[in-house]
Amino acid sequence: MPVEIVKDKWPGSVRQVTLGATAAEGGTRSHTVTVGGEASLPFMHFEAPMPNRPRVAIEIKDRRPDDWSPLLLEVWGAAADNPAEWAKAAEQAGADLIVLALSLTKADGSPTQAADAAASVKAVLGATGLPLIVFGPGQAEADNELLVAVAEAAKGERIALGICEDKNYRTIVATAMANGHLVTARTPMDVNLAKQLNILISDMGLPLDRILMDPTTGALGYGIEYGFSVMERLRLAALQGDNMTQLPMLVTPGFEAWKTKESKVGEGVPADWGNWLQRAINWEVMTAVTLLESGADIVVLRHPESVARVKAVIDGLMQPA
Amino acid sequence: MAHTFTVTFDGFPEPVRVPSGSLLSDAVRLAGIELQQPCGGQGRCGRCAVLVQSGAVRRRSSLRLSAEDVAAGYALACQTVIEGDLQVHVPPQEKIERRLTTDRTAVEVSPPADYDPATVQPLRRYTLTLSPPSMDDQTDDWARLQTALRQQAGLSEVKVSLPVLRRIGQALRDGDWTVTVTLDMKTWDCPGCPAALIDIQPGVIPAGDPLWGVAIDIGTTTVTLWLVDLITGKVQAQASEYNQQINRGEDVISRIIYASKSPENGEEMQRLVLDTIHDVLKRACGRVGIQPEQVMKAVIAGNSTMMHLLLGIPAASIRLSPFVTAVNHVPTLSASEVGLGIHPNATVDCLPGVASYVGADITAGVYASGMETAQGITLFLDVGTNGETVLGTRDWLVTCACSAGPAFEGAGVRYGMRATRGAIEEVWINAETAEPTYRVIGGVKPSGICGSGLISLLAEMFMTGVIDKAGHYNTHLNTPRIREGEHGLEYVVAWADETYCGRDIAITHVDVDNLLRAKAAIYAGFTVMSESVGVPLDAVEQVLIGGSFGKYINVEKAVQIGLLPDMPWERFQFLGNTSVKGAYFALLDQRARQRIHEIAARMTYIELSADNSFYDAFMSAMFLPHTDYRRFPTIAAALEETTKNLSRPGS
Amino acid sequence: MALSGIQIYKLLPQTNCKECGFPTCLAFAMKLAAKQVELASCPYVSEASKAQLAESSAPPIRLVSLKADGREVKAGNEVVLFRHEKTFYNKPGVFVKLADSLSEAELQAALKAVEAFHVNYVGIDLSLDGFAVENVSGDGARFAAAVKTVRAHSKRPLILLAGEAGLAAALPLLAGETPLVGPATDGNWQALAALAKEHKAALLVQGESLDALAELSEKIKGAGLEDLVLQPVAATLAGKLALNTHIRRLALKKNFRPLGFPTLAVAGSAEEAVQAVTKYAGFIILERFAPELAYPLLVLRENIYTDPQKPIQVQPGVYEINNPKPTDPVLVTTNFSITYFSVANEVESSGLPAWLVVVDAEGMSVLTAWAAGKFDAERIAKSFRTFNMADKVSHKRLVLPGHVAVLSGELEAELPDWEIRVGPREAVDLPKFMKQAL
C-alpha cells in the first residue's frame, strides 16, 4: 500500500551563523564553524537537507572551578588548572567549539581583572585552533568590564561573547560590533522574552547573523519540559517566517545537568539512583539529546564521555537512513 | 501584658489612648482625623504619611518614604506600630479637586428619537377623580382608589405598600378627591405582577410636568448620576463625584478585603457609596430645583463588586477561586430597602452582571454601544482598572476581564494624577535632543501627569529612543533628563521651576513598567478572547471604547504603545461613559431593560486565568509596541523612518 | 479539520439552557472545540449537527491498553504533534526486555531488580511498567516457562516477543490479561492475528517501511483485530525519528486510519530512549535495565508529559542562593515560576547569599495570589513551619514582598517570634534593598 507522507512546507529558515575566523579572514583559527541554516524541523531530512550539523562545545574555566562536581574535576585532572591546557584537552576530547567561562574571582578571592580575562582568552586562542565562545561571570558590571577587554584582545577572531540579557546587553553588543564578534543572547525560558532580546540587540545595529540565542532550558527533572517546548516554539516561529526567531540556538545542558543533585551528589542518595558517574553522564547526555530533538544548534557540555556519546547521537541523527 | 500608650496629635487638644501594638492609623481614626488611604492601608501609596515628632514607633515598611523622610520622623500610619507615647503631626491633606471635568462639561445626550413614554415607559402617572364617600357609601379609601384605578386607568389590580397606605387618606382629602398617582407598571423580574403604586399626590399634576428618574453608574473610581425627566426622556442634570470608598482602597480587591474584615467595615463601605450617591443626587436635584424625594425610580449600573457593596451583600467570594458572585441578576428593590434617598417607594433596579469581573457596567455598556445589534464583529473595550472587553456580533458575545491596574487613570504612577487642572495631558519629545514639550489642562503649571499624558509620554519616549522596546531607559543618551533617581532610572518631564509642586516631575522605570503591564493586560485580554473563539483580530470591523477615560485617548499614541490594535483609525469610536448611558436607556424603555437582561444571559464569560494562553499573550504584549511586530505594521514602518533620520550612539 | 468554537456554536441549539453545565451554548462550544467535554452533554443537539460534530471529534490514534492484575498501561489518543499545542496524554509505558535464554536464577535476579526499583521524583513514586519477554531460544516450552517465572514474580503487564509456537504456549498462561504480542510480519501475521484474537491480546505489527506497515495493519484489521501497535524499523536515529513523525502526522493531519495506532520503540541506549519519549513512542522496550538509566528516563517521561497548559510552577520549598549561612537573610515569594525566577536571578546575580522561601501559592504571582487569597499570612507561616526555617537560620527576620505589605500585621500574629520586614515591590530592587536595609 503506497503511503503518501506529509511534508511541511515552510516559508522561513534559520540563519547561518559562522563562528571563528581563519587567517584569511583576519583571525587565527584553524577553521570556522557554521551552524543554523535549517529549513525544516530538526532532522526532517526528507523535507530539506540540514546544511550544518549541530555542534558540541566543551565548557572550560579560566581557573580550577570551586563549585564543579568532583567527577568533572577528576576527569579533567591537572588540565583544569590552566585554561590553555584545558582547551587542548577539550579539543582532544572532540569539541567542535570551546566555551571559556570566566570566573568572578581569582583563586585568591580577589576580583578577576580585565587584564586577567584578556590573558586567559589569549592563552586559549593560542592553545587551540577551534573557534571560541567566552561567557562572563554572569554579573552585569563584571561582565561588561571583562568582556570589553576580551573583545578587544580577540579582535578579528569572530568569537561569541556572552551573555547578553535584557537588562544588560548594550555594552556587550557595542563591543561585539566594534571588534567584529558575535553575541549570545540568553533569556529565561520564554518564547517572547527570547524574541524581545533579539529585537533589542538587532535594534542596536548588530546583524542577525551575528547573534546566537540561548533560551535557557533547565535540566532533565528541573524544568526541561519548558525549555523543550520553548525551543520547539521558537523553531516553528522561525520556519513560519518570523525573522526575529531565525537564529541558531545555543544551549548549556552541561551547566544545567551538572548543577542537579543527581549529578553533584554521590553519597546519601537512594540506591535506586544507581551508579553515580554513569547517572551523572546519563543526566548530561539525556538533557543534551532532548534539546537536540527540539532544535539545539550548539550544545555546551562538560564531561568528555558525554561529548563522545552526544557526538554519536548527532551522527545518527544526521544519517537519514 | 498589655500596655496602653497616649498619642497626642498636633492641633488636636484631646490625646487618645491605644493598646500597645496598635497601628498609628488606628490612633488617627480614634482621634477622628480623616486620613486618606487610597491603597486600603497596604503601605503601597504613601499617602498616609505622618510626622512622628516624639516617641517610639516601629516601621514595618517605609516604602515610598525617602531615607531623609524617615530621618525627619515621617512614618506611614498604616504600617507603623505604636511602641510608646507619641506626639504626632498630621500634615494637611491635599484636597481632591471636587469638580471633575465630566461635571463641568456635561455629555450631550438626547433621548431616542422615537421615545414614547406611553408605550415604553413603565412609570406612569394618572390623575384620578373619585366620588367622595358618604353615609350611603362608606367604602374605604383604598378600595375607592382601586375602583378609580380600574375605571379610569383600566388597572384591575394594583399593589400598595404600607407607607403609601399611610398617605392615601390625607392626599384624597387634601386634593378634594382628585389625586395624581404614580405607578410602576411592570418590572423585569415579574412581568405578570400587578402595577405598584409608588406615590400619591393631592390634586392635578399637569401631564407635561416632569416625572423624575435617575440613572446611576457606580464606578470603582467615579460615581455618575443623570437626572432624567421620564416624560420627555431628557437628561436634565448630570453630576459626578469620586467614590468615597476610594479612601479604603483604589481597586476592587482592596475594597473587597476591607469590606470582608468585619460587618462594620461592610456597612461602612455601603454607607460611603450611598453618601457619594446622595451627594451627586442632591447636586443634580438642586440644579433643577427639586427635592430628591421627588425621584420615583433609579436604575443602577456598576461592576459586580460595587453592586455587592452597595447592597451590603458579602463580596468575598468574588475574589476567591472559583470567582463567583452572590448574585448577578438582582431582583427589583425599593429605595427604602436599599437606603437610597429618593422616594422611599421608588423602584431601584440594579442592572444584571455576567460574572465576578464583568458586571452591569459592561452589560449596560454593550447595550448602549449598539454592538449587540451589529452584523459585523465589534470589539468593545472598557479601558479602566478592570480592563473588561467584549467581542461579538448580534449572534454571539464573549467577554473577559483582565486586571490592568489603575495606571491609565493616573494612579500607581509616581507623578500620576487624574485628568483635572494642572495635569500634563499631552507630551512631545524632540528626537534629537530628547527635550520634551507638554500641554497642561487649564494652561497652568503642571502638578502631575494624567492618563492621556502617560500614554503620550510612553509613546514619545519609545518612538524617540529614550526607552527601548522593553521599556528600559537608554543611559547612553546625552541628556540630563535621564538620571538615576531615588527610585532608580527616571526621565524628567518638567524641572522643578516649571512645576506647581516645585519638584521635578519625572517618570520612573517602575512607572514605565506599570504602564507596560496595564497596556499589555488589556491587549492580551482581547487577543486571547479573539483566539479562543477563533476570530482573527483583523476581522474586527469596529472598536468601541468606553469608560470615562475613553474620551481622552489619543488613538495614534495608543496604537504606538500597543494598547490598541493597529488598524485604520476610522474603526475606533469613543463612546464616553457607556455604563450610565445603558442605565439611562433602561430607565426610559422597558424593552431596553429586557435587552440588557438578555445580553447578560447570553454573554459568554472567558476566565483568563484558566490556562497559560493569557500569560503568554501578556508576555508577548510586554514590549513596545508588541513582540510580534508584524501585528503593528504601521508602527514598524514609522520606527524605521525615525531611526533612518537619527544617528545616535547606542540607540 | 477541527472546528472553532464559533463554528461549533452555530451547530448547537443556541438556547443557553445551561443543562450541559455551562452558562451559555458558546461556552459549551468552546469546551467542545478544546475537546474538554463530550457532545453527549447537550440534550438538545440535532442529529444532523451530531453527525457533523462526531466527524471532527473521533480520536485519530487508537487507544491501546495493556492490562494485568488491575494495572493498565495506555498508549494512543494523542491529538498533537507538539506538546505546547495542548498536551501529550498517555505516557509511554517502559518495559524491560528479558530473554527466555536466561537461566531461571538470572531471570529471577533480573525480575527482582526491576520489581524492587522505585524512585521518588517531586513526590511522585516512579517505577517501570512491565516486562517484554523475548523468545530468544526459539523453543515454545522454554518461552512458556520463562513467562511463568515472570508471572510468579511480577504482576505487571507484559509484552511477549515470540512467534506462533511461543505465543501458543505462553498465551494460555495469561488468561484475563491484555498483553501485547508479536511482532507480526508479512510471513506470520495470519497465525499471530488468530492467536491474539483468541487470547484478547494486542498485536504488534512490524514493517520496514510505511507502505509495508500500512498494508499489514489493513490486512490484520480485515482479520478482525482492532488493538494494534506499530513497530517501525529503521537503522539510524534519524530514520526512526522520520518514521515515527510520519506516522503521527498522517494520523493527525490526514486522519490516515491504517497508521492510526500507537508505536513501539526498542531502545538499546539512553539516547534512543530519549528520542522515543520525546518523539511519539507509545511503548518503549529497554534492552537492559540499569537504575542509573531508568531513573532519568522515567523523570524525562514525567517532564515531557506534564500538561503545559497548567501555570508553570516551581516546587515550593527553601532555595539556597549563593550558599547562604545561618546569618543570611530570609526572603519570601510565591511558586509561580516567573516570579521565582525573577527573584532568584536578581539575588543570584547580585552575589548576595540568601534563603528564598517559596510558598505554595498554586502557581500564581504575588499580587494575583494575594488577590485570590492564595498567598496570605497563614500560608506563609505554614511554609515556614513545614520547611523548618527556624532551624536553618540563626536570626528570625523575614522579608515580605512589598506588594503584600498589608500582610505584615497578620504574619506577625502567625509567626510571633519573627520580625517581619517589608521588602521592595519589584525583584529588580531587591539587591539594593538587601545591601541597604539588611
Side-chain angles (χ1 to χ4, degrees):
Chain A
M1 174 186 264
V3 176
E4 192 184 336
I5 61 168
V6 183
K7 285 190 186 178
D8 286 331
K9 284 200 181 65
W10 302 105
S13 62
V14 179
R15 275 165 204 279
Q16 303 208 35
V17 171
T18 299
L19 292 106
T22 60
E25 293 149 339
T28 63
R29 304 299 81 207
S30 60
H31 64 279
T32 63
V33 168
T34 299
V35 291
E38 298 92 333
S40 68
L41 286 167
F43 314 108
M44 297 290 112
H45 303 284
F46 55 90
E47 283 172 357
M50 273 176 80
N52 302 297
R53 56 191 282 125
R55 296 294 187 155
V56 176
I58 292 183
E59 178 183 357
I60 64 170
K61 301 281 291 181
D62 53 352
R63 66 171 174 87
R64 176 172 282 269
D66 306 322
D67 56 351
W68 279 32
S69 165
L71 297 175
L72 289 169
L73 295 178
E74 194 183 330
V75 72
W76 290 113
D81 291 323
N82 178 317
E85 292 307 315
W86 201 343
K88 276 185 203 158
E91 185 168 2
Q92 266 174 6
D96 299 316
L97 296 158
I98 301 290
V99 168
L100 172 65
L102 300 172
S103 308
L104 187 61
T105 59
K106 295 194 267 193
D108 63 5
S110 66
T112 306
Q113 303 292 328
D116 304 324
S120 299
V121 166
K122 284 203 154 145
V124 169
L125 285 170
T128 171
L130 297 179
L132 181 64
I133 298 167
V134 180
F135 287 169
Q139 280 182 34
E141 279 169 35
D143 280 7
N144 289 345
E145 189 194 338
L146 301 185
L147 289 174
V148 168
V150 164
E152 286 164 0
K155 191 174 173 78
E157 295 281 11
R158 206 175 163 90
I159 66 172
L161 299 169
I163 299 152
C164 292
E165 294 182 289
D166 75 326
K167 290 196 179 68
N168 188 49
Y169 64 92
R170 288 182 182 276
T171 303
I172 302 171
V173 172
T175 196
M177 286 169 71
N179 295 290
H181 298 309
L182 281 54
V183 300
T184 67
R186 179 182 289 174
T187 45
M189 282 202 246
D190 184 285
V191 174
N192 289 301
L193 294 178
K195 193 172 154 189
Q196 288 168 10
L197 184 54
N198 296 340
I199 295 173
L200 294 174
I201 291 174
S202 112
D203 277 358
M204 281 186 70
L206 186 68
L208 285 169
D209 64 3
R210 281 164 63 187
I211 308 173
L212 297 166
M213 60 176 167
D214 174 0
T216 320
T217 61
L220 176 56
Y222 296 81
I224 198 171
E225 65 272 32
Y226 307 126
F228 179 82
S229 285
V230 165
M231 288 170 71
E232 287 200 327
R233 290 179 60 191
L234 282 169
R235 184 51 49 88
L236 283 166
L239 296 175
Q240 280 154 2
D242 179 349
N243 70 342
M244 286 299 166
T245 55
Q246 291 171 338
L247 309 176
M249 291 187 274
L250 172 147
V251 291
T252 54
F255 163 77
E256 298 288 354
W258 284 100
K259 74 178 178 188
T260 66
K261 191 180 177 193
E262 283 80 355
S263 301
K264 256 188 169 169
V265 183
E267 281 166 27
V269 298
D272 278 341
W273 283 17
N275 176 282
W276 180 22
L277 177 62
Q278 285 313 310
R279 176 178 73 239
I281 291 171
N282 274 341
W283 220 271
E284 183 174 29
V285 170
M286 292 170 80
T287 301
V289 175
T290 304
L291 303 179
L292 286 168
E293 298 280 359
S294 55
D297 292 280
I298 297 174
V299 289
V300 184
L301 301 176
R302 285 186 174 175
H303 198 284
E305 193 178 325
S306 306
V307 172
R309 284 174 61 182
V310 170
K311 286 190 81 171
V313 168
I314 294 171
D315 286 342
L317 284 167
M318 291 303 290
Q319 275 184 310
Chain B
M1 159 175 167
H3 290 282
T4 60
F5 295 120
T6 306
V7 183
T8 313
F9 291 97
D10 213 14
F12 290 77
E14 285 294 312
V16 295
R17 293 194 64 78
V18 292
S20 66
S22 298
L23 289 174
L24 204 40
S25 53
D26 298 336
V28 172
R29 202 166 304 149
L30 209 59
I33 301 168
E34 186 65 19
L35 199 62
Q36 284 209 13
Q37 291 188 286
C39 72
Q42 295 163 17
R44 288 195 284 123
C45 68
R47 297 205 191 143
C48 65
V50 297
L51 183 61
V52 180
Q53 293 163 316
S54 68
V57 293
R58 182 163 51 86
R59 293 172 178 84
R60 280 183 190 152
S61 164
S62 48
L63 221 65
R64 295 248 171 189
L65 294 179
S66 67
E68 290 155 35
D69 287 342
V70 174
Y74 278 95
L76 300 179
C78 70
Q79 293 293 323
T80 302
V81 182
I82 298 171
E83 297 196 327
D85 294 341
L86 301 182
Q87 175 74 38
V88 176
H89 173 71
V90 181
Q93 301 274 319
E94 266 184 54
K95 289 233 166 200
I96 298 177
E97 201 181 329
R98 270 196 163 272
R99 301 187 72 79
L100 298 173
T101 44
T102 50
D103 207 17
R104 272 178 303 171
T105 54
V107 188
E108 278 296 320
V109 247
S110 41
D114 58 350
Y115 178 59
D116 176 13
T119 55
V120 298
Q121 177 49 253
L123 220 58
R124 300 280 165 79
R125 205 164 52 196
Y126 296 97
T127 298
L128 307 170
T129 302
L130 286 66
S131 56
S134 67
M135 295 301 276
D136 295 333
D137 177 8
Q138 290 182 326
T139 308
D140 62 287
D141 290 348
W142 168 233
R144 191 174 300 278
L145 187 61
Q146 281 176 298
T147 306
L149 280 165
R150 187 167 58 244
Q151 290 173 343
Q152 296 169 44
L155 296 170
S156 53
E157 213 188 333
V158 171
K159 68 182 169 187
V160 66
S161 64
L162 184 58
V164 180
L165 276 180
R166 286 178 179 143
R167 294 181 51 198
I168 288 181
Q170 195 63 46
L172 288 172
R173 285 165 186 85
D174 284 356
D176 197 15
W177 305 99
T178 294
V179 289
T180 303
V181 293
T182 305
L183 294 134
D184 201 338
M185 307 296 289
K186 196 171 149 187
T187 58
W188 71 270
D189 50 344
C190 190
C193 285
L197 183 56
I198 303 284
D199 185 50
I200 180 165
Q201 294 291 336
V204 178
I205 296 178
D209 273 18
L211 173 58
W212 296 105
V214 287
I216 304 172
D217 165 44
I218 306 176
T220 312
T221 309
T222 308
V223 173
T224 301
L225 178 142
W226 289 2
L227 180 61
V228 183
D229 173 7
L230 304 178
I231 302 297
T232 59
K234 281 188 179 142
V235 177
Q236 298 294 5
Q238 299 181 10
S240 297
E241 182 55 272
Y242 287 104
N243 187 336
Q244 288 177 32
Q245 289 176 343
I246 220 165
N247 290 338
R248 300 288 172 257
E250 278 173 355
D251 52 80
V252 292
I253 300 290
S254 304
R255 302 217 194 141
I256 293 171
I257 291 175
Y258 183 85
S260 309
K261 267 189 186 149
S262 69
E264 293 75 30
N265 280 16
E267 284 160 27
E268 182 192 350
M269 294 301 264
Q270 190 178 12
R271 183 174 47 75
L272 286 173
V273 70
L274 281 169
D275 285 354
T276 313
I277 295 174
H278 293 152
D279 197 14
V280 284
L281 178 66
K282 222 183 282 169
R283 233 187 301 146
C285 288
R287 281 191 206 148
V288 296
I290 62 163
Q291 293 302 313
E293 290 73 25
Q294 287 172 258
V295 175
M296 299 289 165
K297 181 153 187 175
V299 174
I300 303 180
N303 66 52
S304 301
T305 302
M306 291 301 112
M307 214 61 106
H308 280 61
L309 295 179
L310 168 73
L311 300 175
I313 299 172
S317 65
I318 288 180
R319 82 169 177 112
L320 300 175
S321 176
F323 317 112
V324 290
T325 58
V327 54
N328 285 337
H329 294 260
V330 180
T332 47
L333 303 165
S334 75
S336 58
E337 283 178 280
V338 177
L340 191 61
I342 56 176
H343 193 291
N345 288 327
T347 306
V348 173
D349 185 0
C350 297
L351 294 177
V354 179
S356 275
Y357 295 111
V358 176
D361 49 345
I362 301 305
T363 55
V366 165
Y367 178 81
S369 73
M371 74 178 288
E372 54 110 26
T373 56
Q375 209 161 0
I377 297 171
T378 305
L379 178 65
F380 172 76
L381 300 178
D382 189 291
V383 183
T385 314
N386 304 319
E388 301 98 336
T389 63
V390 187
L391 183 74
T393 70
R394 63 185 184 190
D395 297 322
W396 54 271
L397 293 166
V398 290
T399 180
C400 70
C402 49
S403 179
F408 288 134
E409 292 164 65
V413 172
R414 190 163 167 75
Y415 284 96
M417 65 182 286
R418 300 198 172 87
T420 54
R421 205 172 137 88
I424 293 175
E425 59 171 345
E426 181 115 56
V427 182
W428 300 266
I429 295 177
N430 181 312
E432 295 291 340
T433 61
E435 283 296 299
T437 26
Y438 50 81
R439 189 176 65 220
V440 182
I441 297 177
V444 296
K445 281 186 164 187
S447 315
I449 315 170
C450 68
S452 63
L454 289 167
I455 289 178
S456 161
L457 177 57
L458 191 64
E460 287 289 298
M461 290 201 297
F462 158 52
M463 296 300 284
T464 58
V466 169
I467 52 176
D468 67 17
K469 287 171 181 166
H472 303 312
Y473 283 105
N474 181 358
T475 48
H476 292 63
L477 287 188
N478 184 22
T479 167
R481 289 187 181 265
I482 298 175
R483 66 180 186 193
E484 189 72 35
E486 171 113 28
H487 299 270
L489 285 171
E490 59 187 22
Y491 173 82
V492 180
V493 183
W495 298 110
D497 57 3
E498 306 163 31
T499 68
Y500 179 77
C501 50
R503 278 188 283 182
D504 294 345
I505 292 178
I507 178 163
T508 69
H509 78 105
V510 177
D511 296 339
V512 172
D513 254 20
N514 282 337
L515 289 164
L516 274 180
R517 260 192 270 274
K519 80 100 185 170
I522 290 171
Y523 188 87
F526 61 72
T527 49
V528 169
M529 192 170 59
S530 73
E531 275 161 27
S532 63
V533 291
V535 169
L537 261 192
D538 50 20
V540 171
E541 290 178 18
Q542 53 172 351
V543 180
L544 307 177
I545 300 167
S548 47
F549 166 82
K551 62 180 188 167
Y552 302 113
I553 297 184
N554 173 330
V555 178
E556 182 184 6
K557 309 260 181 189
V559 173
Q560 278 174 357
I561 64 167
L563 167 64
L564 297 177
D566 193 356
M567 50 173 71
W569 295 356
E570 62 270 15
R571 291 198 204 165
F572 295 97
Q573 208 184 326
F574 301 107
L575 302 175
N577 186 337
T578 50
S579 173
V580 72
K581 215 183 264 182
Y584 162 68
F585 289 131
L587 176 67
L588 286 187
D589 188 335
Q590 54 197 3
R591 294 170 305 180
R593 178 61 180 82
Q594 185 57 33
R595 293 291 294 174
I596 292 173
H597 177 81
E598 288 160 13
I599 289 169
R602 78 187 176 93
M603 261 165 98
T604 298
Y605 175 70
I606 298 175
E607 176 60 53
L608 293 180
S609 67
D611 63 37
N612 276 340
S613 51
F614 175 76
Y615 182 74
D616 217 49
F618 174 75
M619 288 307 287
S620 193
M622 276 289 287
F623 205 60
L624 293 167
H626 195 276
T627 308
D628 188 356
Y629 48 91
R630 291 171 298 181
R631 289 167 179 262
F632 289 84
T634 59
I635 308 306
L639 268 180
E640 200 135 304
E641 199 58 32
T642 320
T643 33
K644 222 186 293 168
N645 297 334
L646 274 180
S647 50
R648 187 196 268 162
S651 69
Chain C
M1 193 61 208
L3 298 176
S4 74
I6 292 289
Q7 286 167 320
I8 295 174
Y9 170 73
K10 288 178 179 160
L11 298 171
L12 295 177
Q14 303 180 22
T15 50
N16 299 334
C17 75
K18 299 185 169 59
E19 286 181 39
C20 57
F22 294 94
T24 64
C25 292
L26 183 52
F28 179 64
M30 287 165 60
K31 286 283 170 187
L32 271 179
K35 296 194 161 62
Q36 286 164 349
V37 288
E38 298 283 332
L39 181 61
S41 304
C42 176
Y44 304 110
V45 64
S46 71
E47 287 303 319
S49 298
K50 229 185 247 177
Q52 236 175 309
L53 287 169
E55 194 151 331
S56 77
S57 65
I61 300 173
R62 184 171 174 84
L63 183 72
V64 174
S65 184
L66 308 188
K67 293 175 204 159
D69 188 45
R71 295 175 194 250
E72 207 174 354
V73 182
K74 292 190 278 190
N77 259 7
E78 301 297 338
V79 294
V80 291
L81 280 158
F82 306 101
R83 58 186 291 283
H84 70 261
E85 293 176 324
K86 180 145 187 69
T87 188
F88 290 170
Y89 288 102
N90 291 307
K91 295 171 200 166
V94 179
F95 294 75
V96 174
K97 192 186 264 189
L98 297 172
D100 69 350
S101 53
L102 294 176
S103 72
E104 174 77 12
E106 288 169 324
L107 207 50
Q108 285 195 19
L111 278 162
K112 277 181 189 154
V114 173
E115 280 295 318
F117 173 80
H118 71 102
V119 281
N120 185 292
Y121 169 65
V122 294
I124 310 166
D125 192 48
L126 300 176
S127 62
L128 294 158
D129 296 286
F131 297 93
V133 191
E134 188 174 19
N135 187 5
V136 179
S137 68
D139 174 18
R142 175 149 196 168
F143 184 62
V147 170
K148 205 166 185 178
T149 303
V150 171
R151 258 295 156 263
H153 293 88
S154 170
K155 295 179 167 174
R156 294 168 204 267
L158 298 181
I159 298 174
L160 304 185
L161 300 174
E164 190 184 351
L167 292 179
L171 274 173
L173 300 170
L174 304 179
E177 302 184 12
T178 311
L180 173 65
V181 303
T185 57
D186 225 12
N188 69 2
W189 70 269
Q190 278 146 320
L192 261 55
L195 276 167
K197 204 171 173 186
E198 183 191 340
H199 295 281
K200 298 192 172 58
L203 186 59
L204 185 60
V205 182
Q206 197 181 67
E208 297 280 338
S209 68
L210 290 179
D211 299 358
L213 264 177
E215 196 165 316
L216 196 49
S217 80
E218 282 294 277
K219 283 186 198 157
I220 296 172
K221 271 206 290 184
L225 270 187
E226 295 284 351
D227 287 335
L228 307 185
V229 174
L230 308 177
Q231 188 185 2
V233 178
T236 67
L237 273 174
K240 288 176 186 166
L241 178 63
L243 286 177
N244 275 282
T245 305
H246 290 319
I247 291 171
R248 176 71 69 100
R249 280 187 187 173
L250 281 161
L252 297 188
K253 292 187 168 182
K254 299 284 180 202
N255 210 2
F256 184 67
R257 293 292 171 182
L259 295 177
F261 299 97
T263 61
L264 176 135
V266 180
S269 65
E271 290 84 330
E272 286 182 329
V274 168
Q275 179 169 295
V277 168
T278 55
K279 293 295 169 185
Y280 314 139
F283 299 99
I284 299 170
I285 296 177
L286 277 186
E287 295 270 17
R288 271 172 306 281
F289 167 73
E292 60 269 12
L293 165 58
Y295 174 33
L297 182 62
L298 293 177
V299 169
L300 178 68
R301 187 179 70 169
E302 286 300 315
N303 291 164
I304 296 296
Y305 279 75
T306 298
D307 183 355
Q309 305 296 325
K310 296 226 174 88
I312 306 176
Q313 303 187 10
V314 294
Q315 195 67 9
V318 181
Y319 289 77
E320 302 178 9
I321 302 179
N322 298 328
N323 303 315
K325 292 184 286 298
T327 47
D328 287 322
V330 176
L331 314 177
V332 178
T333 193
T334 72
N335 68 326
F336 178 46
S337 74
I338 306 295
T339 303
Y340 163 78
F341 280 123
S342 51
V343 173
N345 287 348
E346 289 297 343
V347 179
E348 202 168 290
S349 62
S350 75
L352 298 167
W355 305 84
L356 180 56
V357 177
V358 175
V359 176
D360 183 0
E362 296 179 18
M364 295 183 207
S365 66
V366 169
L367 264 182
T368 315
W370 167 74
K374 305 291 185 196
F375 187 55
D376 54 18
E378 209 177 305
R379 281 192 184 232
I380 298 171
K382 195 175 151 219
S383 298
F384 270 68
R385 285 190 291 268
T386 318
F387 307 146
N388 296 320
M389 267 327 287
D391 302 338
K392 293 191 162 66
V393 289
S394 56
H395 61 85
K396 288 203 169 170
R397 189 173 58 228
L398 68 89
V399 179
L400 201 59
H403 277 299
V404 288
V406 67
L407 294 178
S408 51
E410 289 162 40
L411 196 54
E412 266 174 14
E414 291 275 348
L415 292 172
D417 319 338
W418 287 77
E419 182 194 338
I420 317 296
R421 295 283 283 271
V422 177
R425 287 192 279 171
E426 304 300 333
V428 59
D429 298 323
L430 253 176
K432 193 172 151 199
F433 173 85
M434 288 167 71
K435 275 178 210 153
Q436 289 177 352
L438 293 176

